[in-house]
Amino acid sequence: MAQGITILGIESSCDDTSAAVIRDGVLLSNVIASQSVHEEYGGVVPELASRAHQQNIVPVVATALRRAGIDKRELSAIAFTRGPGLLGSLLVGTSFAKGLSLGLRVPIVDVNHLHGHVLSHFVRREPTDRVPRFPYLCLLISGGNSQLILVKSAAEMEVLGRTIDDAAGEAFDKCAKIMGLPYPGGPQIDRLAAEGDATRFKFAKPHIAGLDYSFSGLKTSFLYTLRDAVKAEPDFVERNRADLAASLQKTIIDILLDKLAKAVDATGVTTVAIGGGVSANSGVRAAVAAFCEERGIEAFIPERTFTTDNAAMVAIAGYFKYLQGEFCPYSAAPYARVTV
């Protein structure tokens, strides 16, 4: 019996160390070690992140191989996140992948972190699991990116629109910080929004031509609303947190769906997928599902496990590149910034 194509994926772009194993596109394991050290600083501290990756990567990879029930000598290739991300963090994963590759004499495959999010819907737990059909439209929404991408194949992607300033995730996190909520703020907003009145407050929406996004105006509108209100009522934020969160979340969703609708009309696609950290947001997930149902479009909403940074998406992206024989030279260096 043929062994199949077995890929080890390594993700270390920011503050999560992750390793996953897939065989012929089917997930065997996915291990994630998160870093709580950043919470007291209100954001990710790059130097602390890279040090934590150094501590975590060996046990995380060993655990992923053990849970997958395979020996490292069974690996066909090692896929790793080359960028974008924090350079120090990326260097840890890149260096480890190269070293393990040399020791095992198997090729390495470099993966664009954003491509991983876009292709995360192809990670299957069972061989018969449903996956998107090309072409499809992906709404990629995370802390640093808000993009509309026409996915023509696993290797060909066209960015139709992107943020010109803040991303959706930044809007959630920065507004949460203004409200005095702990980091990361996005999940806090999501939790509070479930208890609030989304029609209570109105915030500014951008008027940007085409399919590009903008969230900086919303953030400024939110700041001024709270500043003026607090002058009159010092405890305004504390008394209205749920309604503020619900109104903020609804505004962000409206902005996202407005451009998504225009992109669907422009491309004529019949499949829509979402990806990235913000796709874990309950309101976003429900709104996109309802949008697709109303239009008779097939929707792909990822498992929450695959919305945050994880190695399963790196492994599947690497699997597609492996099938095309697209291997990475050992001279390749990580990069901090890039677009799809």
Side-chain angles (χ1 to χ4, degrees):
M1 180 177 175
Q3 178 176 297
I5 299 171
T6 307
I7 308 291
L8 169 68
I10 296 174
E11 157 62 20
S12 68
S13 64
C14 191
D15 61 337
D16 288 327
T17 311
S18 182
V21 178
I22 65 168
R23 176 168 288 168
D24 295 331
V26 178
L27 185 66
L28 302 183
S29 67
N30 187 35
V31 178
I32 303 173
S34 298
Q35 303 173 7
S36 60
V37 66
H38 308 285
E39 293 176 2
E40 62 180 295
Y41 299 100
V44 177
V45 181
E47 177 62 23
L48 295 179
S50 58
R51 290 183 182 183
H53 283 303
Q54 288 179 315
Q55 296 172 343
N56 292 337
I57 194 163
V58 171
V60 164
V61 169
T63 301
L65 291 171
R66 185 178 69 253
R67 290 183 182 176
I70 70 164
D71 185 273
K72 58 181 177 294
R73 287 179 289 271
E74 297 179 55
L75 295 174
S76 305
I78 300 165
F80 67 97
T81 300
R82 186 178 169 193
L86 302 175
L87 275 180
S89 296
L90 291 166
L91 274 168
V92 176
T94 300
S95 300
F96 184 88
K98 290 178 180 179
L100 187 58
S101 165
L102 285 167
L104 297 177
R105 296 184 179 181
V106 297
I108 51 174
V109 181
D110 61 318
V111 171
N112 179 323
H113 179 81
L114 304 183
H115 284 189
H117 279 302
V118 173
L119 297 173
S120 63
H121 302 278
F122 290 91
V123 178
R124 293 172 292 151
R125 294 191 181 277
E126 300 292 340
T128 55
D129 286 350
R130 185 175 63 105
V131 296
R133 291 169 293 178
F134 300 113
Y136 66 92
L137 191 64
C138 181
L139 174 59
L140 176 59
I141 36 178
S142 66
N145 295 276
S146 293
Q147 298 182 345
L148 282 165
I149 304 162
L150 181 61
V151 188
K152 301 176 182 178
S153 71
E156 186 179 3
M157 305 181 192
E158 179 185 357
V159 178
L160 304 179
R162 58 168 59 88
T163 183
I164 62 174
D165 42 56
D166 286 349
E170 288 176 301
F172 274 120
D173 286 340
K174 291 178 179 178
C175 290
K177 190 170 185 179
I178 294 171
M179 292 171 63
L181 297 175
Y183 173 87
Q188 303 293 332
I189 295 291
D190 191 19
R191 176 182 58 81
L192 286 168
E195 306 167 3
D197 178 2
T199 64
R200 174 86 182 282
F201 299 101
K202 302 294 182 184
F203 303 114
K205 295 180 182 179
H207 298 282
I208 307 298
L211 297 176
D212 286 338
Y213 283 110
S214 171
F215 291 96
S216 64
L218 166 61
K219 179 189 66 179
T220 303
S221 171
F222 189 84
L223 172 62
Y224 286 164
T225 297
L226 266 62
R227 184 195 65 179
D228 295 341
V230 169
K231 286 181 180 178
E233 304 175 52
D235 62 344
F236 175 82
V237 174
E238 184 177 348
R239 291 191 301 102
N240 296 282
R241 275 205 176 102
D243 290 347
L244 286 166
S247 300
L248 171 68
Q249 180 165 287
K250 182 180 184 303
T251 304
I252 292 175
I253 291 171
D254 288 346
I255 295 170
L256 291 171
L257 291 189
D258 176 66
K259 298 291 185 176
L260 178 61
K262 292 177 180 177
V264 168
D265 292 339
T267 59
V269 297
T270 58
T271 302
V272 165
I274 59 174
V278 179
S279 64
N281 179 279
S282 301
V284 171
R285 296 167 73 87
V288 171
F291 169 87
C292 291
E293 184 176 1
E294 290 170 4
R295 288 176 169 247
I297 294 173
E298 188 175 21
F300 281 86
I301 313 294
E303 291 183 31
R304 282 189 167 85
T305 302
F306 301 141
T307 59
T308 55
D309 296 344
N310 67 92
M313 69 181 192
V314 176
I316 196 65
Y319 172 72
F320 282 118
K321 294 187 75 172
Y322 180 93
L323 294 177
Q324 298 300 316
E326 298 180 25
F327 304 126
C328 178
Y330 289 112
S331 59
Y335 49 81
R337 295 181 179 275
V338 75
T339 61
V340 173

